[in-house]
Amino acid sequence: MGTIVMSGTVVLVILGFGNHVYWLAAVAVLLLYVQYGRGSSAPSGGAGGGVAGGSAPADYRSYRERRDTQAKWERRYRRERPFEARRQAREKAN
């Protein structure tokens, strides 16, 4: 997969000498590959294997962090705006 992305990027860079939009496309391809391509293929295999050594704990850990951060902001909102929070709770109940 990496060789296909790299060869495609080289082709886009070569075409970019005639049209600079291809350079932007090459950068976009590299960014997408770094963000999605390498990360999805890296956890497969390894010493741990299974759920304990795979990407599930990291995904769950990031989920927990997002959930805890959201809960912290919701508590802060209710504390700083009690009337608005009660009004929203009443509207939600109806």
Side-chain angles (χ1 to χ4, degrees):
M1 179 69 178
T3 55
I4 294 171
V5 171
M6 291 302 161
S7 61
T9 303
V10 169
V11 168
L12 287 173
V13 167
I14 291 171
L15 291 174
F17 289 110
N19 187 355
H20 298 298
V21 174
Y22 288 119
W23 283 348
L24 294 174
V27 170
V29 166
L30 285 177
L31 288 176
L32 288 173
Y33 174 68
V34 167
Q35 187 172 5
Y36 297 109
R38 276 193 327 186
S40 64
S41 63
S44 62
V51 175
S55 63
D59 292 341
Y60 183 67
R61 194 174 308 120
S62 62
Y63 159 74
R64 288 278 307 261
E65 289 173 4
R66 286 193 312 269
R67 188 190 68 178
D68 293 345
T69 303
Q70 180 68 28
K72 180 182 78 169
W73 281 104
E74 288 175 358
R75 286 191 303 269
R76 179 177 177 185
Y77 182 83
R78 286 194 304 268
R79 183 177 65 244
E80 292 179 353
R81 298 172 181 85
F83 297 116
E84 181 70 17
R86 277 189 236 135
R87 184 187 63 80
Q88 289 178 356
R90 280 195 310 269
E91 288 177 355
K92 189 177 179 182
N94 291 333

